[in-house]
mmCIF file with all atom_site columns, all heavy atoms in Angstrom:
data_model
loop_
_atom_site.group_PDB
_atom_site.id
_atom_site.type_symbol
_atom_site.label_atom_id
_atom_site.label_alt_id
_atom_site.label_comp_id
_atom_site.label_asym_id
_atom_site.label_entity_id
_atom_site.label_seq_id
_atom_site.pdbx_PDB_ins_code
_atom_site.Cartn_x
_atom_site.Cartn_y
_atom_site.Cartn_z
_atom_site.occupancy
_atom_site.B_iso_or_equiv
_atom_site.pdbx_formal_charge
_atom_site.auth_seq_id
_atom_site.auth_comp_id
_atom_site.auth_asym_id
_atom_site.auth_atom_id
_atom_site.pdbx_PDB_model_num
ATOM 1   N N   . TYR A 1 38  ? 148.876 89.001  163.061 1.00 0.00 ? 517 TYR A N   1
ATOM 2   C CA  . TYR A 1 38  ? 147.949 89.696  162.159 1.00 0.00 ? 517 TYR A CA  1
ATOM 3   C C   . TYR A 1 38  ? 148.371 91.150  161.935 1.00 0.00 ? 517 TYR A C   1
ATOM 4   O O   . TYR A 1 38  ? 148.278 91.666  160.821 1.00 0.00 ? 517 TYR A O   1
ATOM 5   C CB  . TYR A 1 38  ? 146.539 89.644  162.744 1.00 0.00 ? 517 TYR A CB  1
ATOM 6   C CG  . TYR A 1 38  ? 145.458 90.070  161.782 1.00 0.00 ? 517 TYR A CG  1
ATOM 7   C CD1 . TYR A 1 38  ? 144.942 89.172  160.847 1.00 0.00 ? 517 TYR A CD1 1
ATOM 8   C CD2 . TYR A 1 38  ? 144.947 91.361  161.806 1.00 0.00 ? 517 TYR A CD2 1
ATOM 9   C CE1 . TYR A 1 38  ? 143.948 89.559  159.963 1.00 0.00 ? 517 TYR A CE1 1
ATOM 10  C CE2 . TYR A 1 38  ? 143.950 91.758  160.921 1.00 0.00 ? 517 TYR A CE2 1
ATOM 11  C CZ  . TYR A 1 38  ? 143.456 90.851  159.999 1.00 0.00 ? 517 TYR A CZ  1
ATOM 12  O OH  . TYR A 1 38  ? 142.478 91.245  159.122 1.00 0.00 ? 517 TYR A OH  1
ATOM 13  N N   . TYR A 1 39  ? 148.791 91.839  163.003 1.00 0.00 ? 518 TYR A N   1
ATOM 14  C CA  . TYR A 1 39  ? 149.201 93.239  162.908 1.00 0.00 ? 518 TYR A CA  1
ATOM 15  C C   . TYR A 1 39  ? 150.716 93.332  163.095 1.00 0.00 ? 518 TYR A C   1
ATOM 16  O O   . TYR A 1 39  ? 151.227 93.185  164.207 1.00 0.00 ? 518 TYR A O   1
ATOM 17  C CB  . TYR A 1 39  ? 148.519 94.087  163.984 1.00 0.00 ? 518 TYR A CB  1
ATOM 18  C CG  . TYR A 1 39  ? 147.007 94.074  163.926 1.00 0.00 ? 518 TYR A CG  1
ATOM 19  C CD1 . TYR A 1 39  ? 146.272 93.430  164.919 1.00 0.00 ? 518 TYR A CD1 1
ATOM 20  C CD2 . TYR A 1 39  ? 146.317 94.714  162.908 1.00 0.00 ? 518 TYR A CD2 1
ATOM 21  C CE1 . TYR A 1 39  ? 144.884 93.423  164.886 1.00 0.00 ? 518 TYR A CE1 1
ATOM 22  C CE2 . TYR A 1 39  ? 144.933 94.713  162.864 1.00 0.00 ? 518 TYR A CE2 1
ATOM 23  C CZ  . TYR A 1 39  ? 144.225 94.063  163.856 1.00 0.00 ? 518 TYR A CZ  1
ATOM 24  O OH  . TYR A 1 39  ? 142.859 94.057  163.817 1.00 0.00 ? 518 TYR A OH  1
ATOM 25  N N   . GLN A 1 65  ? 131.478 92.674  171.313 1.00 0.00 ? 544 GLN A N   1
ATOM 26  C CA  . GLN A 1 65  ? 132.616 92.844  172.203 1.00 0.00 ? 544 GLN A CA  1
ATOM 27  C C   . GLN A 1 65  ? 132.259 93.915  173.232 1.00 0.00 ? 544 GLN A C   1
ATOM 28  O O   . GLN A 1 65  ? 131.883 95.031  172.868 1.00 0.00 ? 544 GLN A O   1
ATOM 29  C CB  . GLN A 1 65  ? 133.848 93.250  171.407 1.00 0.00 ? 544 GLN A CB  1
ATOM 30  C CG  . GLN A 1 65  ? 134.316 92.165  170.436 1.00 0.00 ? 544 GLN A CG  1
ATOM 31  C CD  . GLN A 1 65  ? 135.526 92.580  169.623 1.00 0.00 ? 544 GLN A CD  1
ATOM 32  O OE1 . GLN A 1 65  ? 136.432 93.237  170.128 1.00 0.00 ? 544 GLN A OE1 1
ATOM 33  N NE2 . GLN A 1 65  ? 135.551 92.173  168.355 1.00 0.00 ? 544 GLN A NE2 1
ATOM 34  N N   . PRO A 1 69  ? 137.669 99.777  171.317 1.00 0.00 ? 548 PRO A N   1
ATOM 35  C CA  . PRO A 1 69  ? 138.805 100.706 171.333 1.00 0.00 ? 548 PRO A CA  1
ATOM 36  C C   . PRO A 1 69  ? 138.386 102.148 171.607 1.00 0.00 ? 548 PRO A C   1
ATOM 37  O O   . PRO A 1 69  ? 137.402 102.636 171.026 1.00 0.00 ? 548 PRO A O   1
ATOM 38  C CB  . PRO A 1 69  ? 139.397 100.555 169.926 1.00 0.00 ? 548 PRO A CB  1
ATOM 39  C CG  . PRO A 1 69  ? 138.989 99.180  169.493 1.00 0.00 ? 548 PRO A CG  1
ATOM 40  C CD  . PRO A 1 69  ? 137.625 98.973  170.075 1.00 0.00 ? 548 PRO A CD  1
ATOM 41  N N   . LEU A 1 77  ? 145.092 101.677 165.677 1.00 0.00 ? 556 LEU A N   1
ATOM 42  C CA  . LEU A 1 77  ? 144.677 100.483 164.937 1.00 0.00 ? 556 LEU A CA  1
ATOM 43  C C   . LEU A 1 77  ? 144.563 100.745 163.441 1.00 0.00 ? 556 LEU A C   1
ATOM 44  O O   . LEU A 1 77  ? 145.151 100.029 162.622 1.00 0.00 ? 556 LEU A O   1
ATOM 45  C CB  . LEU A 1 77  ? 143.339 99.987  165.498 1.00 0.00 ? 556 LEU A CB  1
ATOM 46  C CG  . LEU A 1 77  ? 142.654 98.830  164.763 1.00 0.00 ? 556 LEU A CG  1
ATOM 47  C CD1 . LEU A 1 77  ? 143.508 97.569  164.849 1.00 0.00 ? 556 LEU A CD1 1
ATOM 48  C CD2 . LEU A 1 77  ? 141.273 98.574  165.357 1.00 0.00 ? 556 LEU A CD2 1
ATOM 49  N N   . TYR A 1 78  ? 143.811 101.784 163.081 1.00 0.00 ? 557 TYR A N   1
ATOM 50  C CA  . TYR A 1 78  ? 143.499 101.999 161.671 1.00 0.00 ? 557 TYR A CA  1
ATOM 51  C C   . TYR A 1 78  ? 144.535 102.847 160.926 1.00 0.00 ? 557 TYR A C   1
ATOM 52  O O   . TYR A 1 78  ? 144.586 102.813 159.696 1.00 0.00 ? 557 TYR A O   1
ATOM 53  C CB  . TYR A 1 78  ? 142.112 102.631 161.535 1.00 0.00 ? 557 TYR A CB  1
ATOM 54  C CG  . TYR A 1 78  ? 141.004 101.653 161.868 1.00 0.00 ? 557 TYR A CG  1
ATOM 55  C CD1 . TYR A 1 78  ? 140.338 101.709 163.085 1.00 0.00 ? 557 TYR A CD1 1
ATOM 56  C CD2 . TYR A 1 78  ? 140.646 100.658 160.978 1.00 0.00 ? 557 TYR A CD2 1
ATOM 57  C CE1 . TYR A 1 78  ? 139.331 100.802 163.406 1.00 0.00 ? 557 TYR A CE1 1
ATOM 58  C CE2 . TYR A 1 78  ? 139.649 99.749  161.280 1.00 0.00 ? 557 TYR A CE2 1
ATOM 59  C CZ  . TYR A 1 78  ? 138.996 99.821  162.489 1.00 0.00 ? 557 TYR A CZ  1
ATOM 60  O OH  . TYR A 1 78  ? 138.012 98.913  162.795 1.00 0.00 ? 557 TYR A OH  1
ATOM 61  N N   . ILE A 1 82  ? 147.369 98.856  160.775 1.00 0.00 ? 561 ILE A N   1
ATOM 62  C CA  . ILE A 1 82  ? 146.917 98.350  159.478 1.00 0.00 ? 561 ILE A CA  1
ATOM 63  C C   . ILE A 1 82  ? 147.660 99.096  158.374 1.00 0.00 ? 561 ILE A C   1
ATOM 64  O O   . ILE A 1 82  ? 147.657 100.324 158.320 1.00 0.00 ? 561 ILE A O   1
ATOM 65  C CB  . ILE A 1 82  ? 145.399 98.535  159.316 1.00 0.00 ? 561 ILE A CB  1
ATOM 66  C CG1 . ILE A 1 82  ? 144.653 97.708  160.374 1.00 0.00 ? 561 ILE A CG1 1
ATOM 67  C CG2 . ILE A 1 82  ? 144.952 98.127  157.919 1.00 0.00 ? 561 ILE A CG2 1
ATOM 68  C CD1 . ILE A 1 82  ? 143.149 97.911  160.360 1.00 0.00 ? 561 ILE A CD1 1
ATOM 69  N N   . GLU A 1 185 ? 129.737 96.294  161.470 1.00 0.00 ? 664 GLU A N   1
ATOM 70  C CA  . GLU A 1 185 ? 130.411 95.481  162.479 1.00 0.00 ? 664 GLU A CA  1
ATOM 71  C C   . GLU A 1 185 ? 131.540 96.235  163.183 1.00 0.00 ? 664 GLU A C   1
ATOM 72  O O   . GLU A 1 185 ? 131.975 95.851  164.269 1.00 0.00 ? 664 GLU A O   1
ATOM 73  C CB  . GLU A 1 185 ? 130.968 94.190  161.845 1.00 0.00 ? 664 GLU A CB  1
ATOM 74  C CG  . GLU A 1 185 ? 132.107 94.398  160.866 1.00 0.00 ? 664 GLU A CG  1
ATOM 75  C CD  . GLU A 1 185 ? 131.652 94.669  159.439 1.00 0.00 ? 664 GLU A CD  1
ATOM 76  O OE1 . GLU A 1 185 ? 130.466 95.023  159.246 1.00 0.00 ? 664 GLU A OE1 1
ATOM 77  O OE2 . GLU A 1 185 ? 132.482 94.539  158.530 1.00 0.00 ? 664 GLU A OE2 1
ATOM 78  N N   . HIS A 1 186 ? 132.021 97.336  162.586 1.00 0.00 ? 665 HIS A N   1
ATOM 79  C CA  . HIS A 1 186 ? 133.143 98.096  163.148 1.00 0.00 ? 665 HIS A CA  1
ATOM 80  C C   . HIS A 1 186 ? 132.709 99.178  164.136 1.00 0.00 ? 665 HIS A C   1
ATOM 81  O O   . HIS A 1 186 ? 133.558 99.744  164.825 1.00 0.00 ? 665 HIS A O   1
ATOM 82  C CB  . HIS A 1 186 ? 133.921 98.789  162.023 1.00 0.00 ? 665 HIS A CB  1
ATOM 83  C CG  . HIS A 1 186 ? 134.641 97.854  161.104 1.00 0.00 ? 665 HIS A CG  1
ATOM 84  N ND1 . HIS A 1 186 ? 135.934 97.452  161.320 1.00 0.00 ? 665 HIS A ND1 1
ATOM 85  C CD2 . HIS A 1 186 ? 134.245 97.246  159.956 1.00 0.00 ? 665 HIS A CD2 1
ATOM 86  C CE1 . HIS A 1 186 ? 136.312 96.638  160.349 1.00 0.00 ? 665 HIS A CE1 1
ATOM 87  N NE2 . HIS A 1 186 ? 135.308 96.495  159.506 1.00 0.00 ? 665 HIS A NE2 1
ATOM 88  N N   . LEU A 1 187 ? 131.431 99.497  164.207 1.00 0.00 ? 666 LEU A N   1
ATOM 89  C CA  . LEU A 1 187 ? 130.986 100.702 164.898 1.00 0.00 ? 666 LEU A CA  1
ATOM 90  C C   . LEU A 1 187 ? 130.739 100.485 166.390 1.00 0.00 ? 666 LEU A C   1
ATOM 91  O O   . LEU A 1 187 ? 130.149 99.485  166.799 1.00 0.00 ? 666 LEU A O   1
ATOM 92  C CB  . LEU A 1 187 ? 129.705 101.225 164.245 1.00 0.00 ? 666 LEU A CB  1
ATOM 93  C CG  . LEU A 1 187 ? 129.797 101.514 162.743 1.00 0.00 ? 666 LEU A CG  1
ATOM 94  C CD1 . LEU A 1 187 ? 128.460 102.030 162.226 1.00 0.00 ? 666 LEU A CD1 1
ATOM 95  C CD2 . LEU A 1 187 ? 130.908 102.512 162.438 1.00 0.00 ? 666 LEU A CD2 1
ATOM 96  N N   . HIS A 1 238 ? 136.235 89.301  164.976 1.00 0.00 ? 717 HIS A N   1
ATOM 97  C CA  . HIS A 1 238 ? 137.653 89.667  164.983 1.00 0.00 ? 717 HIS A CA  1
ATOM 98  C C   . HIS A 1 238 ? 137.932 90.698  166.075 1.00 0.00 ? 717 HIS A C   1
ATOM 99  O O   . HIS A 1 238 ? 137.301 91.756  166.124 1.00 0.00 ? 717 HIS A O   1
ATOM 100 C CB  . HIS A 1 238 ? 138.055 90.240  163.620 1.00 0.00 ? 717 HIS A CB  1
ATOM 101 C CG  . HIS A 1 238 ? 139.530 90.305  163.405 1.00 0.00 ? 717 HIS A CG  1
ATOM 102 N ND1 . HIS A 1 238 ? 140.340 91.190  164.061 1.00 0.00 ? 717 HIS A ND1 1
ATOM 103 C CD2 . HIS A 1 238 ? 140.347 89.562  162.618 1.00 0.00 ? 717 HIS A CD2 1
ATOM 104 C CE1 . HIS A 1 238 ? 141.591 91.013  163.687 1.00 0.00 ? 717 HIS A CE1 1
ATOM 105 N NE2 . HIS A 1 238 ? 141.622 90.034  162.815 1.00 0.00 ? 717 HIS A NE2 1
ATOM 106 N N   . PRO A 1 239 ? 138.874 90.413  166.985 1.00 0.00 ? 718 PRO A N   1
ATOM 107 C CA  . PRO A 1 239 ? 139.154 91.330  168.096 1.00 0.00 ? 718 PRO A CA  1
ATOM 108 C C   . PRO A 1 239 ? 139.509 92.742  167.614 1.00 0.00 ? 718 PRO A C   1
ATOM 109 O O   . PRO A 1 239 ? 140.229 92.904  166.628 1.00 0.00 ? 718 PRO A O   1
ATOM 110 C CB  . PRO A 1 239 ? 140.358 90.678  168.784 1.00 0.00 ? 718 PRO A CB  1
ATOM 111 C CG  . PRO A 1 239 ? 140.271 89.239  168.414 1.00 0.00 ? 718 PRO A CG  1
ATOM 112 C CD  . PRO A 1 239 ? 139.712 89.210  167.027 1.00 0.00 ? 718 PRO A CD  1
ATOM 113 N N   . LEU A 1 240 ? 138.959 93.738  168.295 1.00 0.00 ? 719 LEU A N   1
ATOM 114 C CA  . LEU A 1 240 ? 139.233 95.163  168.100 1.00 0.00 ? 719 LEU A CA  1
ATOM 115 C C   . LEU A 1 240 ? 138.594 95.758  166.846 1.00 0.00 ? 719 LEU A C   1
ATOM 116 O O   . LEU A 1 240 ? 138.261 96.942  166.826 1.00 0.00 ? 719 LEU A O   1
ATOM 117 C CB  . LEU A 1 240 ? 140.748 95.437  168.053 1.00 0.00 ? 719 LEU A CB  1
ATOM 118 C CG  . LEU A 1 240 ? 141.547 94.996  169.278 1.00 0.00 ? 719 LEU A CG  1
ATOM 119 C CD1 . LEU A 1 240 ? 143.031 95.234  169.055 1.00 0.00 ? 719 LEU A CD1 1
ATOM 120 C CD2 . LEU A 1 240 ? 141.079 95.725  170.522 1.00 0.00 ? 719 LEU A CD2 1
ATOM 121 N N   . GLU A 1 241 ? 138.409 94.973  165.798 1.00 0.00 ? 720 GLU A N   1
ATOM 122 C CA  . GLU A 1 241 ? 137.845 95.505  164.553 1.00 0.00 ? 720 GLU A CA  1
ATOM 123 C C   . GLU A 1 241 ? 136.355 95.194  164.415 1.00 0.00 ? 720 GLU A C   1
ATOM 124 O O   . GLU A 1 241 ? 135.543 96.100  164.235 1.00 0.00 ? 720 GLU A O   1
ATOM 125 C CB  . GLU A 1 241 ? 138.610 94.957  163.353 1.00 0.00 ? 720 GLU A CB  1
ATOM 126 C CG  . GLU A 1 241 ? 140.011 95.512  163.189 1.00 0.00 ? 720 GLU A CG  1
ATOM 127 C CD  . GLU A 1 241 ? 140.604 95.183  161.835 1.00 0.00 ? 720 GLU A CD  1
ATOM 128 O OE1 . GLU A 1 241 ? 139.937 95.443  160.821 1.00 0.00 ? 720 GLU A OE1 1
ATOM 129 O OE2 . GLU A 1 241 ? 141.741 94.656  161.792 1.00 0.00 ? 720 GLU A OE2 1
ATOM 130 N N   . HIS A 1 242 ? 135.996 93.932  164.469 1.00 0.00 ? 721 HIS A N   1
ATOM 131 C CA  . HIS A 1 242 ? 134.595 93.544  164.277 1.00 0.00 ? 721 HIS A CA  1
ATOM 132 C C   . HIS A 1 242 ? 133.908 93.468  165.631 1.00 0.00 ? 721 HIS A C   1
ATOM 133 O O   . HIS A 1 242 ? 133.759 92.400  166.227 1.00 0.00 ? 721 HIS A O   1
ATOM 134 C CB  . HIS A 1 242 ? 134.513 92.230  163.510 1.00 0.00 ? 721 HIS A CB  1
ATOM 135 C CG  . HIS A 1 242 ? 135.019 92.342  162.112 1.00 0.00 ? 721 HIS A CG  1
ATOM 136 N ND1 . HIS A 1 242 ? 135.199 91.273  161.269 1.00 0.00 ? 721 HIS A ND1 1
ATOM 137 C CD2 . HIS A 1 242 ? 135.379 93.441  161.387 1.00 0.00 ? 721 HIS A CD2 1
ATOM 138 C CE1 . HIS A 1 242 ? 135.646 91.684  160.106 1.00 0.00 ? 721 HIS A CE1 1
ATOM 139 N NE2 . HIS A 1 242 ? 135.771 92.997  160.164 1.00 0.00 ? 721 HIS A NE2 1
ATOM 140 N N   . LEU A 1 243 ? 133.459 94.630  166.070 1.00 0.00 ? 722 LEU A N   1
ATOM 141 C CA  . LEU A 1 243 ? 132.934 94.791  167.426 1.00 0.00 ? 722 LEU A CA  1
ATOM 142 C C   . LEU A 1 243 ? 131.547 94.206  167.597 1.00 0.00 ? 722 LEU A C   1
ATOM 143 O O   . LEU A 1 243 ? 131.133 93.908  168.722 1.00 0.00 ? 722 LEU A O   1
ATOM 144 C CB  . LEU A 1 243 ? 132.909 96.285  167.786 1.00 0.00 ? 722 LEU A CB  1
ATOM 145 C CG  . LEU A 1 243 ? 134.206 97.061  167.533 1.00 0.00 ? 722 LEU A CG  1
ATOM 146 C CD1 . LEU A 1 243 ? 134.017 98.530  167.870 1.00 0.00 ? 722 LEU A CD1 1
ATOM 147 C CD2 . LEU A 1 243 ? 135.355 96.460  168.312 1.00 0.00 ? 722 LEU A CD2 1
ATOM 148 N N   . ASN A 1 244 ? 130.817 94.068  166.487 1.00 0.00 ? 723 ASN A N   1
ATOM 149 C CA  . ASN A 1 244 ? 129.432 93.595  166.520 1.00 0.00 ? 723 ASN A CA  1
ATOM 150 C C   . ASN A 1 244 ? 129.290 92.431  165.551 1.00 0.00 ? 723 ASN A C   1
ATOM 151 O O   . ASN A 1 244 ? 129.591 92.567  164.367 1.00 0.00 ? 723 ASN A O   1
ATOM 152 C CB  . ASN A 1 244 ? 128.460 94.711  166.109 1.00 0.00 ? 723 ASN A CB  1
ATOM 153 C CG  . ASN A 1 244 ? 128.801 96.026  166.794 1.00 0.00 ? 723 ASN A CG  1
ATOM 154 O OD1 . ASN A 1 244 ? 128.750 96.126  168.018 1.00 0.00 ? 723 ASN A OD1 1
ATOM 155 N ND2 . ASN A 1 244 ? 129.170 97.031  166.014 1.00 0.00 ? 723 ASN A ND2 1
#
Side-chain angles (χ1 to χ4, degrees):
Y517 192 83
Y518 301 110
Q544 295 179 39
L556 174 64
Y557 289 103
I561 297 176
E664 68 273 17
H665 293 269
L666 304 180
H717 195 289
L719 302 176
E720 289 193 51
H721 294 172
L722 310 177
N723 315 297

